[in-house]
């Protein structure tokens, strides 16, 4: 069951990797589309921001099998970002410089993987904010009214790609071994946007997978803030000099 929870966490990471998941005849409520458009326009002016992450992977019986938290920062102008995560007590880091990612691999000792990213001409797609907005631009999109989040009035919108769209993504994904196991049953992305500035405040992304008569659900919460704050990202020397090309093994 822990392996299924891990599959759910990896599925979440792949769906957030900026790939499109297009459905047929999606339901897109106009008020949600208008707010998303305004948010995307504001995001184009963002030079930098910081974010905090937390996630849990739970099984069908409600037991938590995997959890983690972290923080990161993105400098959109210089096309650099860093994310530091702690998962089950293990700390890892990921750096992105332009179209190259350096990832601290989940193996004993200091070990780094290096790989090229596909940005399709839009670097923001490799950052959490850009990835999530890109996902909301496809599939169903709903307007859920206004809510107070962290003391601010926000507009709540949410999106849900169809199962057919997820199946198309699974069949077209390069990581076929992952999606060849458990089935991705449902994804749902919630976004709370500052009602005045149209800057994202918080998101919650939920992925449910199933396999061998078992289910697991990952819930990832991201809090965005400190827009325009100075962000400097420097890749560690050992990552630049000795990273394994092609990313982390396995």
């Amino acid at each position: 069951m822990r392996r299924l929870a891990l599959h759910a966490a990896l599925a979440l990471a792949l769906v957030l990797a900026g790939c499109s998941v297009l459905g047929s005849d999606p339901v897109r409520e106009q008020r949600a589309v208008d707010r998303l458009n305004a948010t995307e326009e504001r995001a184009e002016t963002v030079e930098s921001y910081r974010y905090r992450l937390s996630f849990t992977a739970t099984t069908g019986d409600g037991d938590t099998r995997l959890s983690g938290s972290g923080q990161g920062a993105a400098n959109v102008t210089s096309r650099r970002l860093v994310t530091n995560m702690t998962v089950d007590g293990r700390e890892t880091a990921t750096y992105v410089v332009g179209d190259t990612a350096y990832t601290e691999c989940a193996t004993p000792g200091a070990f780094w993987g290096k790989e090229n990213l596909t940005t399709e001409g839009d670097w923001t797609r490799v950052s959490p904010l850009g990835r999530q907005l890109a996902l909301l631009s496809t599939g169903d999109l709903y307007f859920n009214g206004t809510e107070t989040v962290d003391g601010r009035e926000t507009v709540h919108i949410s999106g849900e790609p169809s199962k057919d769209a997820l199946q198309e993504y699974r069949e077209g994904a390069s990581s076929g071994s992952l999606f060849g196991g458990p089935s991705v049953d449902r994804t749902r992305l919630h976004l709370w946007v500052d009602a005045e500035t149209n800057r994202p405040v918080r998101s919650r992304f939920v992925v449910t997978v199933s396999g061998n008569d078992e289910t697991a659900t990952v819930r990832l919460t991201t809090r965005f803030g400190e827009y325009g704050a100075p962000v400097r990202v420097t890749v560690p020397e050992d990552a630049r000099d000795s990273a394994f090309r092609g990313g982390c093994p396995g």
Side-chain angles (χ1 to χ4, degrees), residues 1 4-5 58-62 65 181-183 185 208-217:
M1 180 63 81
L4 183 61
T58 59
T59 56
D61 55 12
R65 300 289 176 166
S183 169
D185 298 329
T208 300
V209 303
S210 61
N212 298 323
D213 297 322
E214 298 173 333
T215 63
T217 299

Side-chain angles (χ1 to χ4, degrees), residues 12-162:
L12 173 63
L14 285 176
V15 172
L16 281 177
C19 299
S20 299
V21 279
L22 299 173
S24 57
D25 300 324
V27 175
R28 297 185 66 81
E29 296 179 351
Q30 191 58 49
R31 286 186 295 178
V33 172
D34 292 342
R35 182 62 62 167
L36 177 61
N37 289 341
T39 302
E40 290 176 327
E41 289 179 6
R42 188 56 188 268
E44 291 177 357
T45 69
V46 170
E47 296 179 350
S48 63
Y49 63 94
R50 299 180 186 274
Y51 48 95
R52 290 180 290 131
L53 309 166
S54 62
F55 81 88
T56 58
T58 59
T59 56
D61 55 12
D63 289 340
T64 299
R65 300 289 176 166
L66 197 67
S67 63
S69 62
Q71 59 185 357
N75 188 320
V76 180
T77 303
S78 64
R79 302 172 73 233
R80 290 173 174 251
L81 70 82
V82 57
T83 302
N84 294 291
M85 290 291 295
T86 301
V87 180
D88 277 3
R90 174 175 171 77
E91 298 181 0
T92 61
T94 298
Y95 294 84
V96 175
V97 178
D99 298 335
T100 304
Y102 301 86
T103 303
E104 199 170 7
C105 302
T107 57
F111 189 83
W112 292 86
K114 175 182 178 180
E115 59 184 324
N116 294 328
L117 304 174
T118 301
T119 62
E120 299 179 359
D122 182 4
W123 183 86
T124 61
R125 285 180 175 268
V126 306
S127 72
L129 178 56
R131 288 177 180 179
Q132 295 183 21
L133 293 179
L135 187 59
L136 284 174
S137 69
T138 69
D140 296 341
L141 187 67
Y142 303 98
F143 180 85
N144 302 296
T146 59
E147 300 177 26
T148 300
V149 176
D150 297 336
R152 284 174 284 184
E153 182 180 2
T154 67
V155 176
H156 178 193
I157 61 177
S158 61
E160 182 177 3
S162 68

